[in-house]
Amino acid sequence: MNFRNKTFGDYTNKKTPLLKNYIFSALAGTTWFLQFFFYGMGESKLGNGASSWILHMAFIILIANAWGLVLKEWSGVKKRTFGTVIAGIAIIIISVLVVGYGNSIR
């Protein structure tokens, strides 16, 4: 993409916030690693097999979308697109409730 967009100069451009980019990259990598640590710890406490993986993935998607909304990454998109994001979040929340209910009636 750097070659196609001719953006190799951004790496040496003084206006490019490289320090912020490096910090956010390190933060993203650290949280990505820690999510498996906390998933393993939670799964061992829950002990419900595939359901814990479903809940883990659902919460990753929910948190990522929540950050996207808080940081206004979705500003400027069409209302239909924004509605699709909100509908997706609602469906994930409903699915978490269904999985939770399913696990409670065993």
Side-chain angles (χ1 to χ4, degrees):
M1 292 302 294
N2 282 326
F3 181 73
R4 185 189 307 169
N5 296 331
K6 298 177 179 152
T7 55
F8 279 110
D10 288 347
Y11 296 107
T12 57
N13 186 348
K14 298 290 183 192
K15 294 180 182 177
T16 304
L18 290 179
L19 182 61
K20 285 183 182 179
N21 289 344
Y22 292 144
I23 289 171
F24 280 122
S25 295
L27 182 63
T30 302
T31 55
W32 177 83
F33 175 77
L34 289 176
Q35 59 114 0
F36 289 111
F37 171 77
F38 288 114
Y39 165 73
M41 188 169 56
E43 199 279 329
S44 68
K45 299 284 185 195
L46 290 172
N48 59 1
S51 295
S52 59
W53 184 253
I54 292 167
L55 295 173
H56 176 70
M57 288 293 120
F59 277 106
I60 288 174
I61 295 167
L62 288 174
I63 297 300
N65 280 300
W67 273 113
L69 293 171
V70 167
L71 297 175
K72 300 186 186 333
E73 290 180 2
W74 292 102
S75 63
V77 298
K78 294 179 182 177
K79 288 188 180 202
R80 184 173 181 190
T81 303
F82 189 74
T84 303
V85 170
I86 297 301
I89 290 171
I91 289 169
I92 290 172
I93 290 171
I94 291 168
S95 71
V96 166
L97 294 174
V98 168
V99 169
Y101 177 73
N103 284 333
S104 70
I105 60 172
R106 282 189 199 182

